Amino acid sequence: HPGYFGKKGQRHLHLKRNQYFCPSINVDKLWTLVSGQTYEMAKERAKEGEKAKAVVIDCTKAGFFKVLGKGELPKIPVIVKAKLFSKIAEKRIKAVGGACVLTA
């Protein structure tokens, strides 16, 4: 049958899938990682304009390594911990008064 002989496609010898494992989450889904009660409390504090502690969202603990920039964030300051951030995600998190923390 035609195309049977020769190399087909690009080869990656000894492919280790664990090196490429990088589940991601979008910015608009970040608040689903904390409880609804935490979100409401943070929203009330932001509405009153209090200089209180920002909510810490640990994406790595929830199983996501990378934060991508799709969607909008509510105007609530938040500290996001993850292994990787896209440029747009970092810009959107900082725009609402948050911070991006890289974890190992």
Side-chain angles (χ1 to χ4, degrees):
H1 114 318
Y4 177 75
F5 297 104
K7 291 183 178 178
K8 303 290 171 282
Q10 189 175 11
R11 300 287 198 262
H12 188 290
L13 301 173
H14 195 59
L15 176 67
K16 295 176 290 228
R17 296 228 180 256
N18 197 35
Q19 291 180 335
Y20 302 103
F21 181 75
C22 188
S24 59
I25 187 168
N26 283 312
V27 161
D28 58 354
K29 302 286 185 204
L30 278 178
W31 281 101
T32 63
L33 301 180
V34 293
S35 66
Q37 183 182 9
T38 306
Y39 173 70
E40 292 300 324
M41 191 175 66
K43 194 161 67 167
E44 289 299 318
R45 278 192 263 159
K47 198 182 291 181
E48 294 167 9
E50 288 183 34
K51 289 299 266 181
K53 293 180 181 176
V55 177
V56 178
I57 299 176
D58 194 347
C59 297
T60 313
K61 193 182 284 184
F64 298 102
F65 290 176
K66 187 169 186 173
V67 178
L68 302 176
K70 178 185 170 207
E72 296 295 318
L73 267 176
K75 299 272 187 272
I76 303 168
V78 63
I79 298 168
V80 184
K81 292 183 175 184
K83 290 185 177 190
L84 301 163
F85 291 92
S86 70
K87 243 187 290 186
I88 297 168
E90 203 166 341
K91 182 181 83 173
R92 291 200 173 142
I93 291 168
K94 288 180 179 173
V96 297
C100 301
V101 178
L102 294 172
T103 58

